[in-house]
Each structure stands twice: as C-alpha cells, then as structure tokens.
Amino acid sequence: MNKTLGLLAEFENPATLMNAAEKFREAGYKTFDCHSPFPIHGMDEAMGLKRSPIGYIVGAMAVTGAALGIGIQYYASVVAYPHIISGKPFFSWQAYVIITFALFILLGAFAAVIGMLKINGLPRFYHPVFYSDNFKKFSDDGFFVSVESDDPAFDIDKTKAFMDSVGGKNIEVLEGE
Amino acid sequence: MNNKLFKPNRSAEESLAPGYTFSTVTEDISRIVESKPPQKWWLLFGVAFSFLLVLLGSVGWLFFEGTGIWGLNNPVGWGWAIVNFVFWVGIGHAGTLISAVLFLFRQQWRTAINRFAEAMTIFAVISALLFPTIHVGRVWLLYWFFPVPNQMAMWPNFRSPLMWDFFAVGTYFTVSLLFWYVGLIPDLATIRDRAKTSFRKITYGILALGWRGGNRQWKHYEQAYLMLAGLATPLVLSVHSVVATDFATSIIPGWHTTIFPPYFVAGAIFSGFGMVMTLTLIARNIYHLENIITIGHLEKMSKVILVTGSMVGYSYIMEFFIAWYSGNQFEVFAFINRAFGPYAWAYWIMFFSNVITPQIFWVKKFRTSIPVLFVASIFVNIGMWFERFVITVISLSRDFLPSSWDYFTPTIWDILVFLGSFGLFFTLFLLFLRFLPMVAMAEIKGILPEANPHHEKYHETH
C-alpha cells in the first residue's frame, strides 16, 4: 500500500527558491526543506532556522580531548610508571603540551563530523524525496522545496496549490511504502 | 568603505573560465569518473603500480632481513628513512593549507584545487608514515607507541619528541581524512544521482550517506566544515613544528636551534606547493581541465612558492649567521662542513633548487608558462628532499668527536624503498583521479555568480 509521504516542487534558480522559502515560513510550515546543489547564503534567515549548535559540541569535545590528553600523560608518568628522565620532574607539563593539543584537535574534529552526521540524521538511505526521479537533479542544478506529510501545515490539496502559487514547477506527490 | 569589496562571488571571474553554468560544472567533472580513463592515465598507472610492487618487494626483504640492508652506520642512524619521512610529511602540508587556511581567508580560487590537494595530503602522509614504521626495525612492536596497559607494565615516555610526533602526525592524518571525506559527501551524491549501473548506484550511494542537500543539512554541514577548517589550521602549523622538534630538542650541532619549527613549516608549505603544482599540471594535462584550473590558479600557486621559497632561503642564511654568532665551535664547524665538506654537492643542489629557482617567479612570464612551472616544481621537489638529507645526514655524519665520524652511502635498498614510496603515492593518486570527483563541484557551483540569490540576473523575477 502506497502512502502519501509529502510533496515536492521544483524551482528555477536560487533566487526563486529563497523567495519560496520565505513564503513557506510565513505560511506556517515547520519542517519543509529547501534542497540545492550548494549552500545558498541567506537561506537560513529565509527559512527561519537558528544557528547550528555544532560549535558547542566541538568545543565541549575538544576540551574533553585535552583533559584526556593531559590525564593520560599524568597517569603514565606520575602514577603508573614514574621514572626520572633527564632530571626532569615527573609532571613536566611543558613537554606534555603537544600531545594535549593533538588530542584537543582530534576529538574536536571527530565531534564536528560525527555531530554533523548525527544532527542531520545521516547516514539515511531512505527518504521520501528519493521516490521522485526528478529529485536527482538536486545534486546537479535543481532547486527543490519538499514538504513532508508530518508537517502540521501539510494538506495535500492546499499545499499543492500553495506550491503552485509561489512559483513551483513539476509538483509531485511523494508516494511510497 | 567600498561595499563592492565585500560582495560574495567577486572573484568568481578569476576563479573559473567564464561561461560555466551549474550543469556544465557537474558534467565536466563527473564525466572524468564516469568514462574510461585516457591512455595517458593507463601509462602513468602502469609505471606507478610497478614502483609500488618494487616497494612491496623491498619492504618485504627489509622485514625479513632487518634494517642492516640499508646504508645506516654508527653516527648516521637516521638515514634515508627519516629523510623520506620528513620529505613526505612536508608535502602533505600544502593540502591542508589550501583546504583550511585559504578557506578561513575566503580565498575562493582554492575551490578548483582544494580537493586534490587534500587527496595529495592524505597520500603523502600515508607514504610518510610508512618510513618511521619500517625504520623501527621490529615493526611488530610498533604498538609500544600506544599508551595502553601491557604485560611489561611499561608506559611510553611522553617527554620524548618521537612520541609527540606519533600523536601529531597521527592526528594530522585522521583530521585530513575527515576533512576530505566531509568535503566529498555532496559530490559523491552527485555521482550517485548520475550513476547508470546498479553497482555504481550502490557503491556511491553508500559513500554519499544518503545526502539530499536540504538547507537543514547544509546549515550543520557548513558549520562542521568551518569547525574542521578552524581545527586544521593550527594543526597544520603544529605538525611540522613537532617534526622539527625531533631534531631541535637533541644536542647535535646543526639541529639544536630555535629557528627549526618556523623554518620547517615554511619549507613544508614550499615543498607541498611544489608537489601540488606538479600534480595539478599532470591532472590538467590528462583530463584537459584548462578551464577549471586556469593559468590564474597556477600563477597564484607560483606566488606562494616564491614567498615560501624566500622564507626558506632566509632561514638557510640565518642558520649560518646564528652558527657564527653563537661562538660555539661545533656549531660553526657543522655549517662550514655543510657548505664545503664532503657533502657540499648536496648542500649546493639544495641551495640552488630552493633559493635560486623560485626567484624566477618574480617575472609574470615565468609564472604563466606551463613548461617553466613544471620544471621549477620538479626542482622544488628535488631541492626539498635534499634539504632534509642535508639536515639529517650531514649533521649526524660529523658530530663532536672526529674519531666517530663516518660517511653515509645509501645501498640499493635505500634507493628502491624511496622510489617505491613514489609508486605508492602515485598509485593512490591516480586511483583517486579515476574514481572520485577531483574538483569540489558543490563548492565551485557555490562561487558561480548565479549562485548568489541577489545576482542582477534574478532581479526582474523578484
């Protein structure tokens, strides 16, 4: 049994897509998305999106990495295996700065990538938009707006008419199992 | 303030030959991974792969017989293996510089070359990591580097620069790989969406992670990319500084100087751009990418080579001054020995290639001539290998006591492993050209004038 999963409309260029995004936001759509081959500047404001929280995730994980780095070195050189090497104190922190820094960067970078994938829900090989053959153009030169059926403002006929009124072309009903 | 300066896309014209649209960008770049490779590709791949086999054979023999097959002797315990390690790590730096530092500085011309400069970084660091790995002799004990509890109840010495190096280069490799992959995701989606066979659909489909280019994804994607660039920027400056401390924290004359970290970083960027230039010219020639990688890009790279080459030249001269100024007889001797001792030939090859060669780039005619650029880039590669040879081998071969001096001569196995590492590097690089989009399509599209929603062309539609 095929269900209606959403609607997809194509737009001509970044300008019409951005214009449509503003209209969708004003009409009260909450989870609609604008698909484009590259990020379009100003689209976040047009869609009414808040700033990405990834910076905070990276910051927290990077600091964790640094703490881990200095912690391992402290444990190994002071607690587990205290040896006097070239007459330096067990906790010669100046020499530990580099590994601390390396782990700061390493965990920060993993946080950026894993955090980004997690928030974006990737990898996700199934999605309503993939039921459209026309959608393949998004990674070449196509600009699309998709509205999923779980959006509170979604109503198949009204949304379709609305898409048409803001300049959408090739409007498709996304149907799948 | 002149507002025009801050308009996005202002440099699109100089970043790309005119007349490109979104779909021609996709077509020109995707075509390369979708069609059979040209004859030149097969020819180069054949040569590179043969050298890779040479590498496998000689490393196999090395594992069986031990590092005694190399020309190492008593004062020169760090022979070609360490020279090659520093050489390859240095080359890697240009990729990160282009992808991260130029990104933060909003240098839009980087989009044409950043993808394969990043690929080059990864393959260069793989080639680099090979050398310390095989140089330890008993490779099966490499895990001693890891701070893991073990049956000997021993822990690594974290005060050792060799441990710093292990962490710095390991982090560098991982972060470069993540950065590269994140940049690839939208382009992998393009290849997935164009795929005709189900094998390609599935392979690229998995690699693209189900990317669908929604702005709700782009928002986090761009932020993550910015974060990675911000993290990679201090990293690229730190990695070669740490490599420099491998030398500088020891007391060998000619190594024990504070100029080493900045001098190594400048040299790394210099050698990296030399290699990017070589590879760019090869890839541009095989695939006819003259419209995407324009003379303008090559000219900008040659300017970076000129600047960093001059910094390297300054360091060479400053080293001599400091040696004299220190009043330390061993230090003074080390430098006189470099320029006029038994290895003088190596010193002057280095000096000529790294200091004199890039100076031709003061002339615009040379900056825009393909044959001149190619020959000069080869000289930079050779010169930078000799720089590491001069630093590593000459200083070790004549340290404090004349009774312990010795002359280092490489054996055939030193030479084969080194040549083999080029086989590894070029095999990986050619496979990359064949199977992955070598120019960042999504980024190129983003800097086309049409990508700006406020472009004049669209005004009547508003």
Side-chain angles (χ1 to χ4, degrees), chain B residues 108-158:
Chain B
Q108 297 186 339
W109 59 276
R110 79 185 253 292
T111 49
I113 51 170
N114 75 323
R115 171 68 46 73
F116 69 78
E118 286 165 33
M120 179 204 73
T121 293
I122 289 161
F123 307 143
V125 177
I126 290 174
S127 300
L129 285 171
L130 171 76
F131 284 99
T133 306
I134 60 178
H135 190 255
V136 298
R138 285 180 266 179
V139 276
W140 49 94
L141 297 180
L142 203 70
Y143 74 95
W144 285 6
F145 267 115
F146 291 97
V148 288
N150 54 59
Q151 79 282 12
M152 300 171 292
M154 281 182 18
W155 289 83
N157 172 21
F158 289 109

Side-chain angles (χ1 to χ4, degrees), chain B residues 116-372:
Chain B
F116 69 78
E118 286 165 33
M120 179 204 73
T121 293
I122 289 161
F123 307 143
V125 177
I126 290 174
S127 300
L129 285 171
L130 171 76
F131 284 99
T133 306
I134 60 178
H135 190 255
V136 298
R138 285 180 266 179
V139 276
W140 49 94
L141 297 180
L142 203 70
Y143 74 95
W144 285 6
F145 267 115
F146 291 97
V148 288
N150 54 59
Q151 79 282 12
M152 300 171 292
M154 281 182 18
W155 289 83
N157 172 21
F158 289 109
R159 297 174 195 88
S160 163
L162 300 183
M163 276 308 288
W164 305 347
D165 219 15
F166 175 75
F167 276 87
V169 181
T171 300
Y172 184 46
F173 177 72
T174 316
V175 172
S176 305
L177 193 65
L178 291 173
F179 201 25
W180 187 56
Y181 185 65
V182 168
L184 267 169
I185 293 173
D187 288 356
L188 288 167
T190 303
I191 306 290
R192 170 198 68 193
D193 293 341
R194 289 167 57 96
K196 298 278 184 290
T197 65
S198 58
F199 178 74
R200 290 178 73 89
K201 277 181 190 163
I202 292 170
T203 318
Y204 288 106
I206 291 172
L207 290 173
L209 304 177
W211 179 256
R212 52 184 193 275
N215 192 55
R216 289 176 197 275
Q217 295 186 318
W218 278 121
K219 180 182 78 164
H220 301 296
Y221 176 93
E222 281 199 290
Q223 186 74 9
Y225 200 82
L226 181 68
M227 287 290 143
L228 284 173
L231 290 166
T233 297
L235 184 66
V236 66
L237 299 178
S238 77
V239 174
H240 226 56
S241 302
V242 173
V243 173
T245 60
D246 288 348
F247 296 89
T249 54
S250 77
I251 53 160
I252 301 287
W255 288 5
H256 193 57
T257 65
T258 48
I259 201 176
F260 259 36
Y263 154 39
F264 269 48
V265 171
I269 293 164
F270 177 61
S271 70
F273 268 85
M275 188 57 99
V276 174
M277 182 70 85
T278 310
L279 296 177
T280 307
L281 294 174
I282 293 173
R284 196 171 177 265
N285 182 282
I286 300 181
Y287 293 109
H288 308 290
L289 290 174
E290 287 82 1
N291 290 329
I292 288 180
I293 303 162
T294 61
I295 289 283
H297 293 113
L298 302 176
E299 192 185 348
K300 287 194 175 74
M301 285 196 273
S302 65
K303 284 180 186 168
V304 177
I305 291 178
L306 173 60
V307 171
T308 48
S310 305
M311 284 156 82
V312 167
Y314 167 82
S315 305
Y316 292 164
I317 295 161
M318 188 46 75
E319 274 189 315
F320 264 81
F321 170 74
I322 293 293
W324 167 75
Y325 191 66
S326 73
N328 178 317
Q329 57 166 323
F330 297 108
E331 204 64 31
V332 173
F333 173 78
F335 281 89
I336 290 174
N337 182 49
R338 264 188 198 179
F340 305 106
Y343 287 107
W345 54 274
Y347 185 82
W348 294 107
I349 291 176
M350 168 195 93
F351 199 90
F352 174 79
S353 307
N354 293 349
V355 185
I356 312 294
T357 313
Q359 300 307 320
I360 61 168
F361 290 141
W362 288 102
V363 182
K364 189 173 170 94
K365 211 174 140 194
F366 292 137
R367 288 200 303 267
T368 51
S369 153
I370 305 289
V372 171

Side-chain angles (χ1 to χ4, degrees), chain A residues 10-116:
Chain A
E10 190 181 346
F11 290 83
E12 249 168 68
N13 55 46
T16 50
L17 185 72
M18 191 126 117
N19 184 34
E22 283 165 7
K23 299 274 168 57
F24 272 93
R25 189 196 64 203
E26 284 159 13
Y29 288 90
K30 294 286 176 237
T31 63
F32 75 102
D33 208 349
C34 298
H35 307 265
S36 55
F38 50 84
I40 297 169
H41 290 281
M43 190 56 104
D44 292 353
E45 292 76 29
M47 285 175 71
L49 300 182
K50 278 187 277 195
R51 198 181 145 89
S52 168
I54 283 187
Y56 297 103
I57 301 173
V58 170
M61 282 308 284
V63 171
T64 310
L68 191 73
I70 197 83
I72 288 177
Q73 294 178 86
Y74 178 85
Y75 176 76
S77 322
V78 180
V79 181
Y81 199 58
H83 273 232
I84 296 174
I85 293 162
S86 26
K88 289 174 189 136
F90 293 139
F91 187 67
S92 20
W93 65 270
Q94 296 89 338
Y96 301 157
V97 168
I98 287 166
I99 294 178
T100 306
F101 171 75
L103 289 176
F104 173 91
I105 300 285
L106 187 67
L107 266 71
F110 271 112
V113 177
I114 296 173
M116 183 272 283

